Amino acid sequence: MDYKHSTIEQLNEAICTGKVKSEELFNEAMHLIEQYQEDYNAFVTIISKYKKYGQKDTLISGIPYALKDNISTSGILTTASSNILKDYIPVYDATIYKKLKQAGAVLVGKTTLDELAMGGTGTTAHTGIVRNPYDKQRLIGGSSAGSAAAVSLGIVPFAIGSDTGDSIRKPASFGGIVGFKPTYGRISRYGLFAFASSLDHIGCFTRNVRDAAIVTDILKGNDPNDMTTLPDEEVCYLDHLNDDIKGRKLFYIKEICEEKIYQDSDENVKKTIETFHQTVEKLKEAGFEVDEVSINKELLNAIYPTYMIISCAEATSNNANLTGIQFGPRQDGQDINEIMFRARTIGFSELIKRRFVLGSYILQKENQEKLFKNACRVRRMIVDKMNDLFKEYDGLILPASGTIAPEFTHTSKSEKLDPKATVLENHMAIANFGGFPSITLPMYYYKGLPVGINLTGRPREDKDVLNMAQKIEDVLQIKNKVAGDYDV
Ligand code: GLN
């Protein structure tokens, strides 16, 4: 069977009718890992021995998948792609890993990320850079780089990622696949290494919207071990994928999509904006109402700095236990400060250190009011604005990125905070600010390389976001693609 292009339901049917055995699918995944690991580096750890798990009667039973390496797996190395955790073997399972085991899915490996899930390039892991399956000279984006690459290469039909600013939805765009982050609290984060707790989400990569609904139906649910999880809801997302979308109202932000702003931009950005507007027309024909809405430019420009201030502050506090004492290899030293200083100096890359310096500065007593608390207020203004618009509209659509995946540059590793960071490249953090469900799916190919479209909906309305995304996928007709389907 054509494993690489098969949907979860096709694989499930093949297993149930005896056409293929789960172990054969696993072997196929292993074969692809062997073929691709050296070039693309999607995995930190490969689980090379087949193991049977849990139930037989779920849609993902017997199907191979991958987990981002910041998700706790008892007895299996979990490094968060950081030197400081390079030998860390957890003693407990994340709730989602437990759920996936119970559902019978078969883990093939733990995927590479930007160190501690910070960053968006897939270039800062302690085990090296992750390359874009469509073009090895380009990045796949991060932080969930390996999970995106594994799905885009066809190694697994689904993989799990985490998303604090756009870490599922941006690499999904660069990898030509679907990336879905449901409402904050829909999926338990027990066992996810915290980056910025008020923004962190777990979600999935798949090659079509239907598969994202299938996987999310399994992952979602209240968890007594994570007090931020939402109560259970008695609804199956898969059952509602083809609900009628007639009358659903979408909006896009004028200031981000105005063609005239991009007149002097490179050809790729112009083409993305043009394609986006053509897509809007097609969506109208398909029954959506779509309006252009204007939002104060200052508020939009505040997205990136607000994200950086809040996420660096929370990250500094969350990772304060990586000292070489509680976690990480112990270093010699005269006193506790020297031990911690040495462990952290050796343990972290430049990007992490920069963010911890920023975070410490932001959290200093004298700076808290001006920096941290003000950023929280701006976050509230952005979320209020969105909630206001969500009174009238069911969703926000925008390009997931302005361009195809960038080429590697010598600066991408160090990530100097970019003063030119455009709203077009950073708007997806809005969904983290408000905990809104948000999904990226492929929109078009520019010179054979994918660019995605992003849809963000009302909190708790994951079912509706998936339903609308299904319709968008039906309109755009791009699904189940793996790199190599298009010649670059
Ligand atoms: N690229 C963003 C950052 O640099 C998002 C990371 C994420 O979502 N984990 O932090």
Side-chain angles (χ1 to χ4, degrees):
M1 77 177 303
D2 182 4
Y3 168 70
K4 271 176 137 184
H5 292 91
S6 296
T7 65
I8 289 177
E9 281 162 314
Q10 285 165 342
L11 293 171
N12 174 255
E13 162 143 16
I15 293 175
C16 292
T17 54
K19 280 203 197 86
V20 74
K21 289 201 186 72
S22 160
E23 191 165 357
E24 289 167 347
L25 296 181
F26 177 83
N27 291 339
E28 186 114 27
M30 280 306 132
H31 173 73
L32 292 167
I33 293 178
E34 265 167 41
Q35 190 180 333
Y36 293 134
Q37 178 61 11
E38 199 179 317
D39 282 349
Y40 297 96
N41 192 30
F43 292 89
V44 178
T45 300
I46 299 160
I47 315 283
S48 44
K49 207 167 168 305
Y50 176 74
K51 198 172 156 200
K52 260 205 170 87
Y53 296 94
Q55 282 164 248
K56 286 207 166 59
D57 57 351
T58 73
L59 282 171
I60 59 168
S61 177
I63 294 184
Y65 77 99
L67 272 180
K68 186 170 176 177
D69 206 28
N70 58 351
I71 294 165
S72 188
T73 45
S74 175
I76 302 172
L77 186 71
T78 304
T79 67
S81 285
S82 180
N83 253 326
I84 207 158
L85 291 171
K86 70 179 180 10
D87 301 313
Y88 174 62
I89 299 178
V91 292
Y92 74 104
D93 284 340
T95 297
I96 56 154
Y97 178 47
K98 252 192 210 154
K99 284 192 171 202
L100 288 162
K101 280 201 277 192
Q102 272 158 14
V106 182
L107 182 68
V108 302
K110 305 288 298 286
T111 59
T112 316
L113 55 145
D114 276 306
E115 184 174 1
L116 300 170
M118 289 177 227
T121 56
T123 59
T124 64
H126 70 309
T127 53
I129 63 173
V130 183
R131 292 178 185 274
N132 191 306
Y134 281 80
D135 179 355
K136 271 189 252 178
Q137 304 314 317
R138 292 174 189 273
L139 45 88
I140 176 74
S143 63
S144 313
S147 286
V151 173
S152 178
L153 284 163
I155 295 173
V156 279
F158 74 95
I160 306 301
S162 65
D163 187 315
T164 304
D166 59 12
S167 273
I168 291 176
R169 294 159 295 144
K170 193 52 118 23
S173 177
F174 293 153
I177 54 177
V178 172
F180 179 44
K181 163 200 103 48
T183 304
Y184 186 79
R186 185 62 78 207
I187 296 177
S188 166
R189 298 175 301 169
Y190 177 69
L192 169 74
F193 296 180
F195 164 7
S197 310
S198 77
L199 302 164
D200 290 343
H201 296 65
I202 283 180
C204 60
F205 293 95
T206 57
R207 282 190 295 268
N208 61 72
V209 174
R210 220 176 147 73
D211 285 355
I214 291 171
V215 174
T216 310
D217 272 327
I218 300 226
L219 297 179
K220 72 184 184 198
N222 183 262
D223 178 8
N225 283 330
D226 176 356
M227 67 186 203
T228 63
T229 47
L230 295 166
D232 284 329
E233 37 163 25
E234 297 305 317
V235 54
C236 168
Y237 301 151
L238 187 62
D239 290 348
H240 290 274
L241 275 185
N242 294 312
D243 286 358
D244 192 2
I245 57 86
K246 206 156 174 43
R248 289 275 185 198
K249 287 181 84 170
L250 302 175
F251 74 100
Y252 62 87
I253 300 171
K254 179 168 178 252
E255 287 69 18
I256 303 181
C257 302
E258 227 167 3
E259 282 176 81
K260 69 171 196 291
I261 307 176
Y262 301 106
Q263 260 155 21
D264 301 325
S265 293
D266 78 57
E267 210 39 55
N268 189 180
V269 180
K270 276 198 250 173
K271 189 76 192 156
T272 299
I273 297 300
E274 196 184 299
T275 310
F276 175 74
H277 286 290
Q278 288 160 359
T279 304
V280 164
E281 291 313 308
K282 287 188 203 158
L283 295 180
K284 286 183 186 163
E285 279 164 32
F288 285 105
E289 286 177 39
V290 190
D291 286 347
E292 181 177 83
V293 165
S294 189
I295 294 185
N296 183 327
K297 199 80 210 266
E298 262 178 69
L299 202 56
L300 295 172
N301 285 336
I303 295 170
Y304 181 64
T306 302
Y307 168 76
M308 286 312 278
I309 291 170
I310 294 174
S311 68
C312 288
E314 291 188 17
T316 303
S317 157
N318 276 331
N319 290 293
N321 58 359
L322 302 178
T323 55
I325 296 168
Q326 297 104 313
F327 291 95
R330 175 109 183 195
Q331 303 299 323
D332 290 335
Q334 301 286 345
D335 55 22
I336 191 165
N337 284 329
E338 201 179 346
I339 293 169
M340 292 198 297
F341 178 82
R342 287 206 178 138
R344 289 169 78 86
T345 303
I346 300 168
F348 300 129
S349 72
E350 195 191 328
L351 180 147
I352 299 298
K353 285 176 193 155
R354 180 179 285 114
R355 289 202 183 188
F356 288 166
V357 168
L358 276 174
S360 304
Y361 181 78
I362 292 157
L363 289 175
Q364 269 170 18
K365 204 158 191 270
E366 59 274 30
N367 298 331
Q368 274 191 23
E369 179 64 31
K370 191 165 157 233
L371 292 171
F372 187 67
K373 290 192 181 156
N374 264 343
C376 292
R377 288 180 191 111
V378 177
R379 172 181 183 173
R380 172 49 54 201
M381 285 168 77
I382 295 168
V383 172
D384 283 349
K385 180 74 201 168
M386 287 295 291
N387 281 331
D388 223 31
L389 286 159
F390 281 146
K391 283 185 192 141
E392 184 175 353
Y393 296 101
D394 302 289
L396 160 68
I397 41 167
L398 288 169
S401 60
T403 62
I404 55 175
E407 289 183 345
F408 293 105
T409 60
H410 58 282
T411 51
S412 53
K413 240 189 158 120
S414 67
E415 186 216 46
K416 301 261 183 292
L417 295 183
D418 184 359
K420 292 203 298 294
T422 64
V423 185
L424 181 58
E425 291 306 332
N426 290 291
H427 64 78
M428 288 198 287
I430 294 174
N432 301 77
F433 290 168
F436 307 131
S438 182
I439 188 165
T440 291
L441 54 155
M443 177 167 76
Y444 87 110
Y445 294 83
Y446 179 79
K447 299 190 174 161
L449 290 149
V451 178
I453 186 165
N454 180 255
L455 168 72
T456 297
R458 293 191 193 102
R460 297 178 188 236
E461 295 194 353
D462 306 275
K463 160 175 90 56
D464 303 294
V465 166
L466 286 163
N467 170 218
M468 291 186 282
Q470 178 62 62
K471 190 71 186 177
I472 297 173
E473 184 182 83
D474 292 345
V475 167
L476 289 166
Q477 286 293 331
I478 310 176
K479 60 176 176 178
N480 304 328
K481 300 290 183 210
V482 296
D485 288 348
Y486 286 79
D487 287 332
V488 177

